[in-house]
Every structure is written in C-alpha cells, then in structure tokens.
Amino acid sequence: MKFISFQTIVMILLLPELLQAQDVNDKTLLKIEGRNTEAGEFIRMYKKSIEPGKTLNIDEYLQQFISFKLKVADAIKQGLDTTRSFKNELNGYRNQLAQNYLTDPKTKEEVLAKAYQRYLTEINAWHILIACLPEASPEDTLRAWTKANDIRVRVAGGEPFEQVARGSSDDKSVVTNGGNIGYFSVFQMIMPFEDAAYNLKKGAISELVRTPYGYHIIKVTDRRQSRGRIQVAHIMKAVQPGNGEKESKAAEAEMNLIYNELAQGGSFIELAKKYSDHKESGVNGGKLNWFGSGEVIPDFAEAAFSIKDTGQFTRPVKSLYGWHIIKLLDKKAPGTFEEARSFLDSKINQSYLNSISKKSLIEKLKKEYKFKINTPAYNWFISQTDTLIMRGLSKYKRDSMPAGNLYTFADQRFTIREFAAFIEKRGPMIATDSTKYFIDRSIDTRVSDHITAYENSMLEKKYPDFRYLMNEFHDGILLFDISERNVWDKVSEDSIGLRNYYERHKKDYLTPMAVEARIYSLKSPGNEKKLISAYKKLSRKSDPDKLLMDKFSKKGDTLLLIEDRTWFEGEDPRIDKIKWVKGTVFSTSENNPPVIVVKKVFEPAPLPYEQVQEEMMKGYQDELETEWIRQLKQKYTVSIDNQVLTHVKKKLTDE
C-alpha cells in the first residue's frame, strides 16, 4: 500500500487556488486551426477596446475576438502570410519596434542631464585639423593619422599652438583665427569634438579626435559660466574678407556717421532699413534670431554679450565680415533643467544618442548573459597581430593558431578562427599603431553586433509586450489583406450583388413621410377668429389669397403670412401637431396657425438606388462579413479552454 504525505494532500486541496493565483497570461485561451492564442494577448486586446468611462461584456468581446482570429486563420490557410509584401511589411514593423528594445531607455535622460551641465558652461578652444574624409582609403587614413599624431607630439612638447596651427591645419579659417574657434557650448560642435573638449581641463591638449572631417588636436584655454541667449538688432557695412585697409576705413567712416545719428535720437529700425548691407535683417529693422556663444562669429558675439541693458547699442564693432552697430533687444539666462529641456531635446543628435544607448545596453547584456572572454586567446591575438595584419596586408598563421573560443555568452560562442577571419575580411578599419587598441576595438565591434543580433532574436521570448505587439502587427496585416479580398473588393466591384441587396433592403431606406400644405398665420396674435371667419367666406372665391391679403393689410403693413410648400415629418411642430389627413384644420390658439390646409399626404417610399448606393455599400459589406463569419465557423474548429477563460474573467474583473 502507498501512502500520500500530508504535504501532498494539502497541495491537492489547494491546487485550484494555486492555479488561479498563477499569472494566466502565458496560458493558451483558445485554439483555431492549430494556432494558439495566449490569454495575455486576449487580455491586452480587451483592455485596448474599452472606451473611457464604459464597460465591455467579456463574453461578447470574446465572440468578436474569435471572429477576428477566424479571419486570420483563413488568411494563413490561403497563404497570405507567405507573400513577399506581407513579410516585408511585417519585418519593417518589427525593425522599428525592436529599436526601442535594443537601446538603453535610461540613456536619453542621462544624455539630457549631461547636456544641461554643458549648457551651463562655455569653453574657449583652439584646434588643428588634419583632413581625412570617412571614405578615404586605408593608406590615406593611416597617413593622416600619422601626420596628426606627429603634430600633437610637437604642441604637447611645447611648440606654440597658434604657430603650429597656422603652418599645418587644414581648417581654412586658421588664416584668420590662428586655430582659435572662440567660445562655444553644447550642440554647437560635432559630438566627438564636443565630448573631447568638455572632458579636457583648462590648458590641456587632447588625444587625436576623429570626426567625419578628419583628425583634430584640441586645446582648451578657458571655461566660463554660460551667458545664456540673446536677441539683437544690427546695422552692418560689409567688407569682404581679404579687402584692403582702404575699404575697411571707408566702411568704418560710414558707420561712425550712422552711430552719431543714433546717438542724436535717430531710429535704429529706420537706419537699419536704409543703410544696412545685411538685407535679410535690414528689412526687419536689423533684428536677428536668438543666439548663444559659438553660434555667431566670436567678435560679434563678444560685443553683443557685452551690452549691459536692453535698448543700448555699441559703437561700431569690426568683425571678419565688416563693421556693425549692435543693439540689445532681449536676454535669457540659461534657466533650470526643466525650462531648458525642450530646447536640449530638440538638439540631441539621434544617431549619437542611439550609439551610446546601444553601448550602455551591450554592457548590461554582457552581465545578463554572462559574457566571458578567453584571456589566453585574447593575449594570443595581441602577440600575433602586426601592422601588416592591421593594414589588411597579411593574414594569421593558421598552423600556430590555438583551438577554442575567443568569447562566449548565453548559448553563443565565437571561435578564435572565426575572429581571425573577421579581422582579415574587415581590413584596415582602425587607424592605429597600437596592437592592443586594434584588437580591443575589433572585439568590441564583433561582440556588439553578435550580442545585439542575439538579443534581437530573443525579444519575443523575453518581452511579452513585444510578442503581443508583433502578433498584433502580424494579424492586423493579414486581417486587412483577407478583408480586402473577401469583402471590400466585392462591395466595390459586385454591382449585381449590390443591386440585389438594394432590392432586398430597399424598405429600410425610405423617404420620410411628408405633407403638402398651405399655412395661414398672423404676425401678431389676437385676430385668429377674424382670419378663420374671413377664410371660410373667401376660400371659394377666385384668388382667395389675394382677397385675404388685402383684408389684413393696413397702412402697407402685411399682418398675414401664407406659406405653401411640402413639409417632412419632424420638420415643423405646427404641422406635426395635426392629423395628416386631406382637409382644413382651424385653430384659435395663439400657438397654432389659425388655418392649415392639407392638400396631399406622401407616405414613406423607397429612396432611388442611386441616392442610397454609398449608404447601402456599408450594409452590403456587413452582410458579406456576417456570411463570411458563418462559413468560417463551419470551416474551422474553435477550442476554448474554459478554465483559463474563468481565470481571465476573474483577472479582468478584479482589475
């Protein structure tokens, strides 16, 4: 004899409660044509279908949901999920949706917080550029990197930065500024440049900074608190860069005359319109858009920010492009984080944000999936990689290559041989003489791509919301395609079917009941009995209406109103109150016309086909859909797990 333990008895007794306590989302609620639908998907769709402030019967919605799933099953049966257009559309939705799961959602807030801190600080920097476009050949890239590195050694060793910049920088503005780009703040430089500059201490020189323009060497000479943003107006006399002293002196003389006129009370707006060479702002009285440091040329910005009070203006100021008189219109301090948030958000470089979001996610996934690198294999690559391999001119020796994996994570692995082939195929993508740097960056690139692809493949398993949304996209596309084929196209193309539907349902599309009548009423009450008496006497005579009008007209003021037309039911309460029978109705009440003559009654009749065709298409569509659902219920077996349905109802009711 076998004995059941006390604990087992308790478990058996509590089994229904335990099952009910479990999350029912992952359980199968219904099956149609071998395709399972999870309870969680039904719950999600049910909640989305509830209108605010209203309730939705669960059993009634379940029948709608089943009809929806039957249509999808029919679409799959017809192979609509195998077409190229379907796959392309679904993949497009998935790629868009996946991006939200393949970046770190917290990163944006961190980027905004960092941007705000930079927003509060302005940096003055010098730089040297060695041009190297992204599409440059590996040889040209390495040549540019080597040249830039040699120049950095010179300035780090003490050579005057401006002197070296003027003799070597590929930035054309170096001719006029000696490499000094002035003060700037957040979002005013390309992001790698900005990152490097803000991470430098005052007086420090950066490592080589790669941007799409080439390699930069940056020196920070000052940091100061942000002065915010200002709006100014200006009057300008242009002097083209490179023109001689004579042209500049002539422009300065003109500006001094304008300044004297302003000082004597002249209108800045009118003088800007009349004399400014900057026509775009001149037509607006010299008014410019709001700007901060770094957004306009340094000489102009420094002069503008030096004005203390609104309404004041500068003496003539020289810039690279000529002479200016600048008037301060308004100032804005940097503001709080919340005040600056919308501005910062609008300026964030999305590709940069995605890049750092992805890096953050990769680090988290490495921990989650227990990423592990094979240290001996890593060291082997560092020892066996030379400049020829880094430049794509040589390959690794396979006979001395160890076996095994370079790294592993989750159930994934990447072998040493695979990584060697990856480097050889990738070629000289990293310009450096450091073997360790080259291997580290190569591993980072490969791991990032590998772990991202793996995470992408796991989204449906890891995130129920992602899975439900993909099911929704999948079924929604199929529903549209199958409905178009079985219903919508038929409605628009089947003229005979639509005409037959009209014949079956034309009594549902009737004209309203109507009456043709003549109403006699008075503008002012009190003479109803006189009107009735007069009508009875004159109605049999020739042209009674004229006789009545003559009788009730005094001193050119017509008191009698006569209306003769067709009224529809519900259109006029005066007509609706009486019985619609041919004849005359008299009334002495102030609220009713004294005389109503009912001439003809029109009973409701079917509206012409052409008049109701568009309206009938909706009815015909409903009829086709109802018949289609009836056929689908006969064609496919629907299996509902009533136990799961009970738990679903309880879950929805409790919420």
Side-chain angles (χ1 to χ4, degrees), residues 336-349:
T336 65
F337 175 72
E338 288 305 320
E339 289 170 341
R341 183 185 181 91
S342 60
F343 166 75
L344 297 173
D345 196 10
S346 69
K347 294 290 185 179
I348 287 179
N349 182 307

Side-chain angles (χ1 to χ4, degrees), residues 430-448:
I430 304 170
T432 181
D433 285 334
S434 169
T435 301
K436 184 178 185 304
Y437 181 84
F438 178 84
I439 293 299
D440 286 346
R441 297 289 75 75
S442 297
I443 290 174
D444 286 346
T445 299
R446 183 66 194 110
V447 169
S448 177

Side-chain angles (χ1 to χ4, degrees), residues 346-364:
S346 69
K347 294 290 185 179
I348 287 179
N349 182 307
Q350 290 302 317
S351 61
Y352 169 77
L353 177 62
N354 290 339
S355 174
I356 62 173
S357 294
K358 185 176 180 180
K359 287 179 182 177
S360 176
L361 179 69
I362 294 300
E363 292 306 312
K364 291 181 180 180

Side-chain angles (χ1 to χ4, degrees), residues 361-404:
L361 179 69
I362 294 300
E363 292 306 312
K364 291 181 180 180
L365 293 177
K366 281 183 176 181
K367 295 177 182 178
E368 178 183 341
Y369 292 134
K370 296 179 173 56
F371 174 85
K372 186 177 181 181
I373 194 161
N374 181 349
T375 304
Y378 168 77
N379 291 333
W380 183 88
F381 274 106
I382 290 178
S383 66
Q384 297 299 312
T385 303
D386 56 25
T387 55
L388 291 176
I389 289 176
M390 288 191 288
R391 296 176 189 177
L393 301 175
S394 182
K395 295 186 177 182
Y396 293 101
K397 296 178 180 178
R398 295 303 195 269
D399 55 355
S400 63
M401 186 178 293

